[in-house]
Every structure is written in C-alpha cells, then in structure tokens.
Amino acid sequence: MIAAAVDWNAVEALAASAAALLTAAVLVVTVVALLFERRVRRIDIARLEAQRADAEAGQASLVVSVTSATTGSGTADVVLVNYSQRPVFDVHVSLTLNGRPVTLTDGRCTVVPVQTIVGPDERRELTLNAPYGEETLVAARTELRDAMGLRWRRDHNGRPERLLTD
C-alpha cells in the first residue's frame, strides 16, 4: 500500500472558498429579507395612515347637505343635517357650480350666516342666492369644524377634505 500525500494547502483553500461562498449567500439572503421587510413596513404604514384618515373624517362624512332649486327662482335651498352623535361647529355653507364657488354678477349677496353649532341629528334649512337659469346645477359646499377641532370641506357630499389652515 502506498500512502497518499494530502495537500493541506489545497484543503485549506477549498474550505476558505466554501466559507466565502456561504458568507456571500447569507449576505444576499439578508439583503433580500431586509428589502422585503421594508416593503411590508411601507404597506403597513400606508394602511394605518388610511385607517387614521378614515377615522378622522368619520364625523365630517356624517354631515350631509342636500341642494334643491327651481329654475328661474334665483335661489337654491340647502338642507343641512348632522347625522353624527356629536355637534359640529362653525359651519359655512356655500354653493359651487362645476366645482367652483358661485359668484353672482348681479350684485346679490351669496353669503349665508355661519351656523355656529349644529347638534347631533339637527337639521337646518338654508336659502342661498344662485345664478339665474343655473339654479338646478349648483351643489352645496360645506366647511365645518368637527368635535375634535379639525376643519373639513365637503363638496356635494363627496369625501371630506381636511383643511389644514383656518
């Protein structure tokens, strides 16, 4: 029998190469896991932000305004109802036409008195001046402060929009 000579330098080089490959594989797996976790975190943050926004807009979405008018009358009737369980404050109601505030060229006033407090389940009926011939095309814009003190704008009973300035 002949004894085979073992080249320990080759064994050491082979072990070092295997360790380097294993280290690189672990590094790649770690980077992929971090990118995945970052993506999941962004999705969670967006979901939580949407839930917070919905919770904040909850009361404002329960304040409804319905507009009705007769062509040629020069006015529009707005019924404002607070269906929430808490009062709303500093309620401003105005008219919009195609999403823009109504301005009358004939000198009539478009300002309606501010409804200081509209209590829970309270209903207010308002009459506002509207452009002649376009009375049925106008919609109500409601601006209010909810019970938490946040300002909101709601056009034609759409999704409430948070107003950051007073």
Side-chain angles (χ1 to χ4, degrees):
M1 255 195 184
I2 301 177
V6 177
D7 185 4
W8 291 107
N9 287 334
V11 171
E12 186 180 339
L14 187 61
S17 297
L21 285 175
L22 187 60
T23 302
V26 167
L27 183 62
V28 168
V29 168
T30 303
V31 167
V32 169
L34 284 173
L35 290 173
F36 178 75
E37 284 298 319
R38 192 168 93 179
R39 182 173 172 255
V40 168
R41 180 173 165 78
R42 282 186 189 152
I43 291 170
D44 285 345
I45 288 172
R47 181 180 49 81
L48 290 172
E49 181 64 25
Q51 286 176 348
R52 182 195 60 78
D54 286 345
E56 283 182 350
Q59 184 181 11
S61 64
L62 292 173
V63 178
V64 177
S65 56
V66 179
T67 307
S68 63
T70 305
T71 303
S73 66
T75 61
D77 297 319
V78 177
V79 177
L80 177 73
V81 184
N82 179 7
Y83 288 110
S84 73
Q85 298 299 316
R86 292 180 267 159
V88 292
F89 307 93
D90 303 327
V91 182
H92 301 262
V93 178
S94 60
L95 296 178
T96 61
L97 182 62
N98 297 327
R100 296 186 180 158
V102 170
T103 55
L104 301 177
T105 57
D106 57 6
R108 290 181 297 143
C109 181
T110 60
V111 177
V112 64
V114 174
Q115 308 301 307
T116 308
I117 298 175
V118 179
D121 293 323
E122 191 173 339
R123 172 188 178 111
R124 300 278 175 95
E125 296 180 12
L126 310 166
T127 301
L128 286 84
N129 291 326
Y132 285 104
E134 297 179 333
E135 295 90 349
T136 58
L137 303 175
V138 296
R141 170 179 281 176
T142 308
E143 293 185 10
L144 59 95
R145 184 178 307 278
D146 65 10
M148 294 187 334
L150 304 175
R151 295 268 323 145
W152 297 93
R153 175 184 294 148
R154 191 165 186 211
D155 286 332
H156 197 51
N157 293 327
R159 183 171 178 79
E161 174 189 347
R162 175 99 181 264
L163 300 176
L164 300 177
T165 58
D166 281 333

